[in-house]
Amino acid sequence: MIDGHGDDGWKYGATIRADFSSNVVYGGLDAGLREQLRGVIDAVTHYPEAGALSLQTAAAAAYGVSVDSALVTNGATEAIYLIAQAFRERRATIVGPTFAEYGDACALQGIEVRQAGWEELRIASGLELRSALRVESPVARPGGLVFICNPNNPTGQALGAEELLGVVDAWPGTVFAVDESYIEFSLAADSLIAAGRPNVLVLRSLTKSCRIPGLRVGFVTGPPELVARVAACKMPWSVNRLAIEAGLYIFRHREEFAVPVESLLAATARWRRELAEVTGWRVWATDTHYFLMETPSAFSAAKLKAHLVTRYGLLIRDAVNFKGLGPQHFRLACQAPEQNELLTEALRECSRAGI
Amino acid sequence: MIDGHGDDGWKYGATIRADFSSNVVYGGLDAGLREQLRGVIDAVTHYPEAGALSLQTAAAAAYGVSVDSALVTNGATEAIYLIAQAFRERRATIVGPTFAEYGDACALQGIEVRQAGWEELRIASGLELRSALRVESPVARPGGLVFICNPNNPTGQALGAEELLGVVDAWPGTVFAVDESYIEFSLAADSLIAAGRPNVLVLRSLTKSCRIPGLRVGFVTGPPELVARVAACKMPWSVNRLAIEAGLYIFRHREEFAVPVESLLAATARWRRELAEVTGWRVWATDTHYFLMETPSAFSAAKLKAHLVTRYGLLIRDAVNFKGLGPQHFRLACQAPEQNELLTEALRECSRAGI
């Protein structure tokens, strides 16, 4: 899907004063990383390593897996497309409402897809999700491919290891692609990397936690046999030279890129309460720094988005194109307090004026 | 194919004094482009446009086609993989010996591939190539997909418009993917972009002529219906933000990135004669700044490569993995005179000593 994602301020002539539309954590580029990238600019006169081996090695060490259990990709998005390609003979289940690219990648491969857990996720319960998957057992039958985003985008809901492993271990013949692109933003989501299950591929990303969506760095970890199958679908040089340089720098300075998750979640909780009070609109629960809201039936999220960007220079994520959500849904990611305040005030005016 | 490409100096501990292994034109990063990239580094905190629309628009203007006749890709390599995917129901013909990625991209899609023109290309004749394609008409039958690299990599042989259009127009039901990644390096190759044929997709790249292989910028041009089919296979954000910035800068300053093709070809011709004299080895004809050579039967190109890199810090392209070539073949790209001289002297020693 080319159109319909967040961080699409470029579509509007308006100057963007604050951007709530992508889940990238707020704050500018890390100063050390900026200097590093400026210093190695001339490296672009050489090809990247065709398979980004140096970064694969660094990532394997950072994630605590063997080198042949890791693969570097052009963002987590390439990982999604490669996994769909590698397992295209299977039928897929997508646990949603969730990121559209799982479905798009499957469609491109002609994979039959079943969306699961919509209703369950709507009422925001990990346990209900689990029971739903168990009850609807044919969905995750042996030979299947299941995409789970944990914590989930756009709902922000997180799953713990026990719940996840309950499902994963129940279907050993099914490959589970667990997208942990947002795991640095939650205390409730458990990573499955260390669990080392033979049927689990874990997707990771430096995009959101290290604020480098423009560079495109993602990873797959999992058992070597599954990773090799995914790698076999990969074209050379998909990960550019500066992405590799950035990744190497980040893994050498991991502590400096740690997300301040407790304070971020506390700020998110405060802001959510404030938004609910100020607007009277529905604000969804979340386990992360991003969350869903719903406009009143009088106007759509798309209309709200257009209004906010043109009148206030504030960018939100219209969430209508997440399958299972409707025209009222939009997603916000918590920003710095002064930016949040801008949106709070704008939404106060919108809710009073009926937009 | 992840392993087996040129510009692989990273594999060796040795310091590389001169690199003849990739076809990127010699010279460092353009000073203006360096400053531009340094200045926009902070843009990596935002996603690229999902479909690189701004660069698509600039490329369309530069290539003289409509915006819907152009597509931006993660290097020409992504274009090759997308074309194979878009037309995977067809049978493919690859005119070679040529770049391995056409075959690899087809294999990944389960496309049946026939290599054509090996013998003809070995004796370096465009007319013989044409007659081969005509004689073996079932190869390019309606419904086929043909990959042609013009000028060709690794042979450096170029095809003119008349020859190419003679083939292309003879098979209107066949899609021709003409890779013009090296067209800036030849006076003998004609671009098919302006020909506007309904069955031709043209691949372009900024990698070689603008010395930015590390960034990954390529393009496809062609009739909107074919381009749309290719675009439908594309994942979002495959082209990173700095690649887009570089492309926009280059199209704003095109004259500064013009390859000095006449002097480069003259230097190549002189160097080829010198190498032939000094070594007594076979030096292939070429229409570009890169060309093939063959080691004597006493030792392989792989052995020569290893010897040159460890003893002299000189990197060449072992060409054994081009289908249709053998263990004796290697490829050189003409560098600055003082670098060429290093290799000339090293090869003089190798030929005298029998390596």
Side-chain angles (χ1 to χ4, degrees):
Chain A
M1 183 176 83
I2 296 295
D3 277 325
H5 293 282
D7 197 6
D8 55 352
W10 53 271
K11 286 182 188 166
Y12 303 89
T15 303
I16 305 299
R17 292 165 71 204
D19 181 0
F20 306 86
S21 75
S22 94
N23 294 338
V24 175
V25 67
Y26 70 90
L29 186 60
D30 175 84
L33 179 55
R34 180 189 297 118
E35 286 318 299
Q36 175 69 14
L37 289 173
R38 282 189 175 153
V40 298
I41 281 290
D42 283 60
V44 302
T45 61
H46 285 281
Y47 278 85
E49 303 148 86
L53 182 60
S54 62
L55 185 53
Q56 179 183 337
T57 307
Y63 295 136
V65 299
S66 61
V67 174
D68 59 356
S69 280
L71 182 70
V72 190
T73 54
N74 180 346
T77 306
E78 189 191 17
I80 295 166
Y81 278 71
L82 292 176
I83 288 170
Q85 192 164 6
F87 300 101
R88 63 184 167 198
E89 78 287 359
R90 296 178 173 229
R91 276 190 277 182
T93 301
I94 296 173
V95 180
T98 192
F99 189 43
E101 296 304 323
Y102 311 126
D104 288 354
C106 289
L108 194 57
Q109 300 299 334
I111 295 174
E112 185 188 317
V113 172
R114 187 185 184 291
Q115 308 284 339
W118 301 124
E119 295 314 307
E120 295 77 7
L121 273 164
R122 275 185 180 274
I123 52 170
S125 158
L127 281 172
E128 284 175 71
L129 165 68
R130 179 184 175 184
S131 86
L133 274 171
R134 284 192 179 284
V135 169
E136 301 179 19
S137 57
V139 168
R141 73 194 175 290
L145 171 64
V146 177
F147 284 95
I148 299 176
C149 188
N150 184 39
N152 188 41
N153 170 24
T155 61
Q157 286 154 354
L159 297 167
E162 196 190 341
E163 299 175 84
L164 273 168
L165 291 176
V167 173
V168 160
D169 291 342
W171 307 104
T174 288
V175 171
F176 288 83
V178 182
D179 185 349
E180 299 183 354
S181 287
Y182 298 101
I183 201 147
E184 294 89 348
F185 299 108
S186 179
L187 295 166
D190 290 323
S191 174
L192 287 196
I193 291 180
R197 290 304 200 270
N199 58 336
V200 174
L201 290 166
V202 173
L203 282 62
R204 283 294 186 98
S205 167
L206 300 182
T207 291
K208 286 87 182 180
S209 56
C210 302
R211 291 189 288 271
I212 51 168
L215 283 176
R216 319 306 302 136
V217 194
F219 305 95
V220 179
T221 73
E225 314 75 58
L226 293 190
V227 170
R229 235 177 117 169
V230 177
C233 297
K234 196 159 155 42
M235 71 178 201
W237 311 298
S238 73
V239 182
N240 73 85
R241 184 94 183 211
L242 296 178
I244 293 174
E245 294 285 352
L248 291 172
Y249 180 89
I250 287 166
F251 285 129
R252 283 198 306 271
H253 301 82
R254 284 189 80 184
E255 64 294 342
E256 294 165 31
F257 289 87
V259 173
V261 59
E262 297 194 8
S263 61
L264 185 61
L265 293 181
T268 305
R270 282 194 300 276
W271 191 40
R272 285 179 52 254
R273 282 194 298 273
E274 208 174 296
L275 287 168
E277 281 169 27
V278 159
T279 61
W281 304 348
R282 183 174 172 205
V283 181
W284 285 41
T286 185
D287 296 311
T288 66
H289 74 304
Y290 55 87
F291 54 91
L292 288 170
M293 280 186 68
E294 294 179 40
T295 58
S297 56
F299 54 91
S300 68
K303 191 173 171 191
L304 177 68
K305 176 186 174 185
H307 183 70
L308 286 171
V309 73
T310 51
R311 171 131 177 203
Y312 300 92
L314 302 176
L315 193 63
I316 66 170
R317 173 69 156 91
D318 171 10
V320 65
N321 65 353
F322 286 95
K323 267 189 191 135
L325 298 182
Q328 256 61 50
H329 295 91
F330 61 100
R331 190 192 67 196
L332 302 178
C334 182
Q335 304 298 316
E338 60 276 18
Q339 297 175 310
N340 294 343
E341 185 59 26
L342 292 175
L343 186 60
T344 308
E345 288 313 306
L347 290 182
R348 186 198 303 272
E349 286 182 26
C350 292
S351 68
R352 278 189 191 158
I355 214 174
Chain B
M1 182 177 83
I2 296 296
D3 277 325
H5 293 282
D7 198 6
D8 56 351
W10 53 270
K11 286 182 186 165
Y12 303 88
T15 304
I16 304 300
R17 292 165 71 205
D19 182 359
F20 306 86
S21 75
S22 91
N23 294 338
V24 175
V25 67
Y26 70 89
L29 186 61
D30 175 84
L33 178 56
R34 179 189 297 117
E35 286 319 298
Q36 175 70 14
L37 289 174
R38 283 190 175 150
V40 299
I41 281 290
D42 283 61
V44 302
T45 61
H46 286 281
Y47 278 84
E49 302 148 86
L53 182 61
S54 63
L55 186 52
Q56 179 184 336
T57 307
Y63 295 136
V65 300
S66 62
V67 174
D68 59 356
S69 279
L71 183 70
V72 190
T73 54
N74 181 347
T77 306
E78 189 191 15
I80 295 166
Y81 278 71
L82 292 176
I83 289 170
Q85 191 163 6
F87 300 100
R88 64 184 166 200
E89 81 286 359
R90 297 179 173 225
R91 276 190 277 181
T93 300
I94 296 173
V95 181
T98 192
F99 190 43
E101 296 305 323
Y102 311 126
D104 288 355
C106 288
L108 194 58
Q109 301 299 333
I111 295 175
E112 184 189 316
V113 171
R114 187 184 185 291
Q115 308 284 339
W118 299 124
E119 295 315 307
E120 295 77 5
L121 273 164
R122 274 185 181 272
I123 51 169
S125 159
L127 281 173
E128 284 174 70
L129 165 68
R130 180 185 177 184
S131 87
L133 275 170
R134 284 192 179 285
V135 168
E136 301 178 20
S137 57
V139 168
R141 74 195 173 289
L145 171 65
V146 177
F147 285 95
I148 299 176
C149 187
N150 185 37
N152 188 42
N153 169 23
T155 61
Q157 285 154 353
L159 297 167
E162 195 191 341
E163 298 175 82
L164 272 168
L165 292 177
V167 173
V168 159
D169 291 343
W171 307 104
T174 289
V175 171
F176 288 83
V178 181
D179 186 348
E180 299 183 354
S181 287
Y182 300 100
I183 202 147
E184 294 89 348
F185 299 107
S186 179
L187 295 167
D190 290 323
S191 174
L192 287 196
I193 291 180
R197 289 305 200 269
N199 59 335
V200 174
L201 291 166
V202 174
L203 282 63
R204 284 294 186 99
S205 167
L206 300 183
T207 290
K208 286 88 181 178
S209 55
C210 304
R211 292 189 288 270
I212 51 169
L215 284 177
R216 320 305 303 134
V217 194
F219 305 95
V220 179
T221 72
E225 315 74 57
L226 293 190
V227 170
R229 237 179 117 169
V230 177
C233 297
K234 196 159 158 38
M235 70 178 202
W237 311 299
S238 73
V239 181
N240 73 84
R241 185 93 184 210
L242 295 178
I244 293 173
E245 294 285 351
L248 291 173
Y249 180 88
I250 288 166
F251 285 129
R252 281 198 306 271
H253 301 82
R254 287 188 81 185
E255 65 294 341
E256 294 164 32
F257 289 88
V259 173
V261 60
E262 296 193 7
S263 60
L264 185 61
L265 293 181
T268 305
R270 282 193 301 274
W271 191 40
R272 285 179 53 253
R273 282 194 298 272
E274 207 175 296
L275 288 168
E277 281 168 26
V278 159
T279 61
W281 303 349
R282 183 175 173 205
V283 182
W284 285 40
T286 184
D287 296 310
T288 67
H289 74 305
Y290 55 87
F291 53 92
L292 287 170
M293 279 185 69
E294 294 180 41
T295 58
S297 55
F299 53 91
S300 68
K303 192 173 168 193
L304 177 68
K305 177 186 174 184
H307 182 71
L308 286 171
V309 74
T310 53
R311 172 132 176 204
Y312 300 93
L314 302 176
L315 194 62
I316 65 169
R317 173 69 156 90
D318 171 11
V320 65
N321 65 354
F322 287 94
K323 267 189 193 135
L325 298 183
Q328 256 60 49
H329 294 91
F330 61 99
R331 191 192 65 197
L332 302 178
C334 182
Q335 304 296 318
E338 61 275 18
Q339 297 175 310
N340 294 343
E341 185 59 25
L342 292 174
L343 187 59
T344 307
E345 289 313 306
L347 290 182
R348 186 197 303 270
E349 287 182 26
C350 292
S351 67
R352 279 188 189 157
I355 217 174

